[in-house]
Amino acid sequence: MNNSQTNPRRGVAVLMVLLLISVVLGLSYAVVRSQYTARQIQQNSGRSSSARQAAATGLMMAIKKMHQGDDWNGVDTTLTGSLGDYESFQVTYTTGDALLASDDPDYEDWPYRVTLLSTGMAVDPDNPQCVATHQIQAVVQLIPRALADEPDEWDEMISYTFYQWKDGQFQINVPFRIEGPVRIQDDLELAKSYPWSNSARNRYLADLNSMRLNGFTDWRPFDGPIDLPYDKQPGGLISLYNTSMAVATNDLPRDDADDWSHPGEMLTYRLYPGGKTYSVQTIGGVQDNVTLEPDPTTNPLGIFYRSGKIQLYNNVTIRGMLISRGGHGSDIEFCGVNIELLPHNLPALEGTDKPVRLPTVLSADDVSFWCNSESTVTGLLTANDDFEVGWDNQDDISLDISGLVIAKDIKIRGRNDWYQNSGWWEDQYDDFDDQEDEEDAIPYFPVWLQAEEGLDPAPQLTVKPDPDDVRYHWPNANSPIYVPHGDDDGLRWTLLRWTENP
């Protein structure tokens, strides 16, 4: 065969072989590359799965610690842990819930919620610089099951509308009215500030009951029952209460609430063990044209505090707890008009629908209502010493308390327009007695006094039970509000939300 004819064919064959080899090498590389990529994807997926598992495990451990009392270090702390040589987690605790805005109907739940953010990490054993992460966020809310310890006598104290916590003066002058049970530790001075005779006083009080029985509003100073020591009462008064006024009484000896006291300095507080520490809002000695309310993020209990005297003047509204601290003179005085003090409802204990309330007014010394004041107080009012309503004309002062009062000395002064000399009162009573036989006689002494002298028997000063069914709690500067229940190892929480990679 001629060489010039075969050489080109051999060249083509070589080219075909080289082309096939190139194709095979390309395919082999693609296969190897694909296998490598698949292995990397598989490894990355495995690390991501491990990171997610680490995050979930960390979150479960973090929530469990919140249920274990002393094992939990509280909010603003971090829990870390490892699941092996290459997987770990980190969980942070933060007070509140970022999804609760100020216009949310559940905004007041903000301080009782905790946001947990768990970050799980998985490290590539062959390449420590390669770390997969996964985050899970959860929001939990406290389940209130128990309150911190209270004074031994607390349940008894709050069972009364008016409770005298220690032996002292208990002076009441008409027109004034307390509805519900009353506890008195010594003698009751009833309507003794006016220089009227016992006959005039007793007839006035008895006629208030007769009026009630005949369709008038009940304007008796008490509707009872009254628990008090009989041996401390002047002769004949128990019969006056029971028979003439139809007010039930019980003979109870003096029993001071020695375990009850002012909580002392209360500049910070917690809602629950491990919870955020809040600062009370300190206020000035004179409050005028102001509204003070709780802030769920900074002062959720609405505690407004001053070391020393607090004077409330015109247009003051406070919702929460007004507290004075100090010695003698650390009074809370109501001096103006349009004063309204309201309680702040805290979450009810599990299994009840009674909101928890702290005192609305908590004075280290006296609580006083002065002339020309107009005040409304809802909730628990406490005075370490005096509860006093000053002298004033009947129409120039008003006080409406819906709740209960705890104090040592009770001084409900008389009304100026009622304070007349003894001769005046003798003349009024004689004139009333003389007209009783007339055809158009006025049968009731209080009604006659109003018709002839303008002395209105309708009380402008009243204390009546809280219309709501609530649970009052006495605060302790060294304890949170809510604590673990005796049957539990720690607090209880409910899971509200769980979010992956928030």
Side-chain angles (χ1 to χ4, degrees), residues 19 85 88 130 206-207 225 344 355 420:
L19 180 60
D85 293 336
S88 61
C130 186
D207 278 358
H344 175 52
Q420 307 291 337

Side-chain angles (χ1 to χ4, degrees), residues 153 157 162-168 170 183-185 254-262 363-365 382-386 405-410:
E153 308 91 344
M157 294 171 72
F162 218 115
Y163 184 88
Q164 186 177 32
W165 72 271
K166 188 177 178 64
D167 178 33
F170 204 112
R183 177 61 162 119
I184 300 173
Q185 303 288 355
R254 171 183 171 181
D255 184 17
D256 296 346
D258 294 325
D259 192 47
W260 178 82
S261 63
H262 188 279
S363 174
D365 197 9
T382 68
N384 209 47
D385 199 1
D386 294 357
V405 175
I406 298 173
K408 175 180 174 289
D409 289 301
I410 293 83

Side-chain angles (χ1 to χ4, degrees), residues 63-242:
I63 293 175
K64 182 179 180 181
K65 278 192 172 293
M66 296 180 73
H67 289 76
Q68 291 179 334
D70 294 340
D71 286 346
W72 183 43
N73 293 325
V75 298
D76 300 326
T77 63
T78 301
L79 175 68
T80 60
S82 298
L83 305 182
D85 293 336
Y86 304 106
E87 292 84 25
S88 61
F89 62 82
Q90 175 180 290
V91 186
T92 59
Y93 300 93
T94 305
T95 303
D97 181 352
L99 295 188
L100 283 183
S102 59
D103 59 350
D104 194 296
D106 295 326
Y107 186 51
E108 290 188 350
D109 289 339
W110 190 94
Y112 303 97
R113 295 187 181 184
V114 176
T115 298
L116 297 89
L117 181 61
S118 179
T119 302
M121 293 158 282
V123 178
D124 186 342
D126 299 325
N127 183 6
Q129 302 301 316
C130 186
V131 181
T133 63
H134 189 91
Q135 287 189 323
I136 303 176
Q137 184 185 80
V139 177
V140 298
Q141 182 166 318
L142 178 70
I143 302 174
R145 284 175 46 79
L147 295 167
D149 289 342
E150 296 163 331
D152 292 341
E153 308 91 344
W154 186 244
D155 287 341
E156 177 187 357
M157 294 171 72
I158 60 176
S159 68
Y160 293 92
T161 302
F162 218 115
Y163 184 88
Q164 186 177 32
W165 72 271
K166 188 177 178 64
D167 178 33
Q169 186 177 17
F170 204 112
Q171 178 191 95
I172 299 289
N173 284 287
V174 293
F176 183 86
R177 178 165 169 79
I178 302 174
E179 298 179 10
V182 177
R183 177 61 162 119
I184 300 173
Q185 303 288 355
D186 207 319
D187 67 310
L188 169 58
E189 302 174 34
L190 180 58
K192 289 187 175 181
S193 292
Y194 308 134
W196 52 5
S197 65
N198 285 339
S199 297
R201 184 195 66 158
N202 292 352
R203 178 60 187 267
Y204 185 95
L205 295 172
D207 278 358
L208 289 176
N209 183 51
S210 298
M211 291 164 60
R212 174 184 68 91
L213 296 174
N214 286 279
F216 285 79
T217 302
D218 189 355
W219 290 327
R220 293 175 299 166
F222 304 97
D223 62 5
I226 304 174
D227 294 341
L228 73 175
Y230 282 7
D231 61 351
K232 299 290 186 179
Q233 311 310 311
L237 283 189
I238 298 300
S239 176
L240 172 67
Y241 306 146
N242 295 162

